[in-house]
Amino acid sequence: MIALDVDIQGAIGDLAVDVRFRTADEPLVIVGPNGAGKTTTLMMILGAMAPRRGRVALGDVPLFHRERGIDVPVERRQIAYLPQQLTLFPHLDVLQNVAYGIRAASRDARMQQAQVALRDMDALALASRRTSALSGGEAQRVALARALACRPAALLLDEPLASLDVTVRQDLRRFLSDRLRAWKLPTVLVTHDRADAEIVDGQMIVIESGSITQQGRLSELCERPATEFVKQFASR
C-alpha cells in the first residue's frame, strides 16, 4: 500500500508551519482553529507552495526534498485536491467538467474515463446537466468525480462539506466516508466539524499555530484533550 509521508517546515506571513505525519489506506483528519496552518499544509503537500525545509513522498517517490533539490510540479505529483470553494466550469456540462483534466489517447477514451468516475460517485445521471443546474450535494459529487477521474495516487480534501446545508451534509458525509474506505487512497481531510471526523474515524492530528499539538483517534483526543481547542472540539 502506497503511503503519503510528510515532514515539512515552511511559513506564510508570520505563521511558521512544522508538521510530520504519514497516512496510507486510512484517511487522516486534520483539525485546528482558523489560521492554524491546515490549508497551508495541504498547499505544501500539493506543491502549490514550497516548504523551506523537509520532504514529501508518495511511497518510494520523492515529490519534494529540499536537501536533494527535488520539487515535482503540481501537475506531476498525482495528487488530487478538492478545495472548499468548488471550481466547476459553468460553460461545460458535467461530463465535460469531469473529463477536462484527463490525459488519454483520444476524446472517446477521456469521456469513457469520465463516465466511470461519475458512475463511481453515483452521479452518471447528471452527465448532460449544466453545473449551474446542480444542487450543492450534486456539485460536490461532480467535483469529487473530477478530482478522481485522473486516477490520482493521493487525495487532499479541504473542508469538502462546509458549504452544504445540514441535511445534504449528513447524506454526503456518510457517502464520502464509505467511498474513502473503498478507494484506500492516502487521503488527508481538513475539517472543522466533529461529525466529519467521527464518521471518517481515522487518525487525527490537531494543528495549532502551525504545529501539531495532539494526534490520535477522536476517542483518544476526547478522553485526554491536550489543549483548550481540543477540549472545545471534543465537546461539540
Side-chain angles (χ1 to χ4, degrees):
M1 181 60 61
I2 294 177
L4 176 64
D5 279 298
V6 177
D7 180 354
I8 49 177
Q9 301 83 47
I12 177 170
D14 296 330
L15 177 67
V17 175
D18 185 351
V19 295
R20 298 170 182 81
F21 61 81
R22 182 180 188 274
T23 185
D25 60 342
E26 180 180 68
L28 176 86
V29 178
I30 297 180
V31 300
N34 291 336
K38 303 184 299 297
T39 296
T40 299
T41 297
L42 295 188
M43 291 295 95
M44 290 182 182
I45 297 169
L46 184 65
M49 295 177 61
R52 290 180 178 173
R53 296 183 301 279
R55 59 181 178 78
V56 177
L58 258 175
D60 296 329
V61 180
L63 303 179
F64 176 85
H65 199 297
R66 176 60 71 191
E67 291 184 357
R68 294 167 58 186
I70 297 171
D71 189 1
V72 176
V74 175
E75 65 274 12
R76 290 176 47 208
R77 290 199 177 195
Q78 290 188 287
I79 297 177
Y81 171 63
L82 186 66
Q84 182 176 341
Q85 300 299 323
L86 303 184
T87 54
L88 298 177
F89 303 120
H91 63 291
L92 302 177
D93 65 26
V94 164
L95 184 62
Q96 291 167 331
N97 261 275
V98 175
Y100 182 79
I102 296 174
R103 295 181 179 179
S106 66
R107 182 182 183 279
D108 287 347
R110 287 174 54 238
M111 293 302 172
Q112 185 175 18
Q113 195 168 321
Q115 288 174 342
V116 170
L118 283 168
R119 187 180 297 113
D120 287 346
M121 295 302 298
D122 291 347
L124 186 56
L126 305 175
S128 62
R129 297 259 296 273
R130 288 285 176 176
T131 57
S132 58
L134 300 177
S135 67
E138 289 170 340
Q140 200 72 1
R141 290 193 187 211
V142 171
L144 275 166
R146 188 173 70 177
L148 292 161
C150 297
R151 298 170 182 167
L155 178 63
L156 307 179
L157 303 172
D158 194 356
E159 301 273 13
L161 309 179
S163 62
L164 304 177
D165 62 50
V166 174
T167 303
V168 175
R169 192 183 308 155
Q170 288 174 344
D171 292 341
L172 196 53
R173 182 182 288 131
R174 170 61 66 183
F175 178 86
L176 179 59
S177 175
D178 291 343
R179 285 300 193 272
L180 290 178
R181 296 200 174 279
W183 293 327
K184 295 187 181 299
L185 279 176
T187 299
V188 180
L189 167 67
V190 167
T191 184
H192 70 279
D193 194 325
R194 172 176 168 163
D196 293 347
E198 206 161 33
I199 200 165
V200 169
D201 190 30
Q203 286 291 322
M204 293 181 59
I205 63 173
V206 181
I207 296 181
E208 299 181 66
S209 300
S211 298
I212 296 176
T213 56
Q214 194 169 359
Q215 53 190 329
R217 298 276 177 180
L218 178 60
S219 58
E220 296 169 347
L221 271 61
C222 291
E223 187 176 333
R224 294 182 296 277
T227 68
E228 184 60 30
F229 170 82
V230 178
K231 186 176 181 179
Q232 292 178 6
F233 186 84
S235 65
R236 291 175 188 171

